[in-house]
Amino acid sequence: GHFPLEGDGCVSGLFHYVWNKNSNKKSCPMVNVPDTVVYKYRQPAYWYFTSKDRSGGVKMKNKTNLGNANVESTFCNKPAGSTNEIVAFYISSEVVPSKGIVSTIEHFDAVGLKDFLMNHDKENNGILQRFVDSKGTNNAMFRAIWSPNVFHVERRTNVCNLSERKISMHQRVVTFEGEEHFSESLTVTDTMLGAQMQRICESVVDHCRFHLLAQGDHSSINRMVLHFKVDDHNRIWLLWCSSVRLISDDPVPGGTNRLRDATPIDIATHLIVPDHIRRFLVPATSTVRSTAGGGGKGAGFAGGPGT
């Protein structure tokens, strides 16, 4: 259909599924989505966001609100207590010979966002998303790998303090898309947060199954990779989906249910920054390290608040 729910890269169709109402007339339970503009054919096509009213839920803005000025003013309106200048990121995916699907992520401050909106060609399949400030002083992102039998969550925390303006913004923000010395990895599968993320994944799977069935498609998600962030209020935000596989729920005569796309799931997603940003990512020096919460591997992160 119009919103494919399969493949690797930035699977933007998933936003449409979580927004779509279930039989209780609600969007996908437990899912919060930051302001997210999906670009199709270089034009803003859909804008999803989480409602501020008590009922919450994922909503979609009217097509008439998709203008650049509106996007700019909403995304640049950062929470009062924020100490960093990052307002948004853009992620797009393309097939690269010999590498498969590569996703490129680029973060913006207010000036960069304006330039992007006014001047840049938007790749066909990108999303622009409002930047969510992580809980704590350093940028942290979670990657959850879900299947019916296996669940794993990894947290990547940047080694630099996000409000340390002397360091390039691109170096302070990078997690999964950068080389490993820019961030620290921790498996958080068996924490309360990991359990919450597992419930969110299961809610997404159930919600999508309902909609696939409503379209006459007897399939369900069998494997997926989701990226999350946790904010200062301990709210979990679904940022994007980087891989989905569906399985047919109709048993094949004499066989088992079959994966519709049997290629392995793209766990080590090729996630990179654009070439013009790579030069900002200089090797982390010991002086930079020492400002990152006491230096030392994992200092201030493992078992810290929110784990």
Side-chain angles (χ1 to χ4, degrees), residues 10 15 89 91 105 127 141 226-227 238-242 271:
C10 181
F15 292 109
F89 70 83
I91 181 167
I105 185 166
I127 66 161
M141 195 184 287
L226 299 181
H227 291 75
L238 169 61
L239 305 188
W240 84 92
C241 167
S242 61
L271 185 64

Side-chain angles (χ1 to χ4, degrees), residues 180-217:
E180 292 189 351
H181 55 256
F182 293 116
S183 59
E184 290 172 345
S185 168
L186 189 68
T187 298
V188 293
T189 310
D190 297 327
T191 61
M192 276 173 61
L193 201 55
Q196 249 179 302
M197 288 176 182
Q198 187 168 7
R199 286 196 296 275
I200 293 170
C201 288
E202 283 159 3
S203 177
V204 168
V205 170
D206 290 345
H207 193 79
C208 289
R209 185 187 290 120
F210 170 83
H211 286 298
L212 288 163
L213 194 59
Q215 297 164 22
D217 184 345

Side-chain angles (χ1 to χ4, degrees), residues 88-161:
F89 70 83
Y90 183 70
I91 181 167
S92 63
S93 307
E94 60 179 342
V95 178
V96 175
S98 80
K99 281 200 175 143
I101 292 173
V102 173
S103 300
T104 304
I105 185 166
E106 180 171 4
H107 287 81
F108 303 113
D109 58 11
V111 174
L113 176 64
K114 190 183 185 82
D115 178 55
F116 171 82
L117 290 170
M118 304 304 169
N119 304 321
H120 281 236
D121 247 359
K122 319 296 183 284
E123 299 303 324
N124 286 345
N125 50 353
I127 66 161
L128 179 71
Q129 190 174 87
R130 179 209 275 263
F131 184 76
V132 173
D133 285 3
S134 298
K135 184 184 174 105
T137 54
N138 299 46
N139 194 38
M141 195 184 287
F142 297 79
R143 181 169 66 195
I145 298 158
W146 182 93
S147 79
N149 308 317
V150 179
F151 181 71
H152 177 81
V153 192
E154 178 188 352
R155 179 178 73 189
R156 280 276 186 94
T157 307
N158 189 292
V159 297
C160 302
N161 187 313

Side-chain angles (χ1 to χ4, degrees), residues 33-58:
V33 173
D35 283 275
T36 303
V37 178
V38 175
Y39 283 86
K40 288 214 184 289
Y41 311 110
R42 305 205 160 118
Q43 296 300 318
Y46 307 99
W47 180 341
Y48 305 98
F49 66 102
T50 298
S51 164
K52 286 194 171 61
D53 62 37
R54 285 203 34 212
S55 63
V58 178

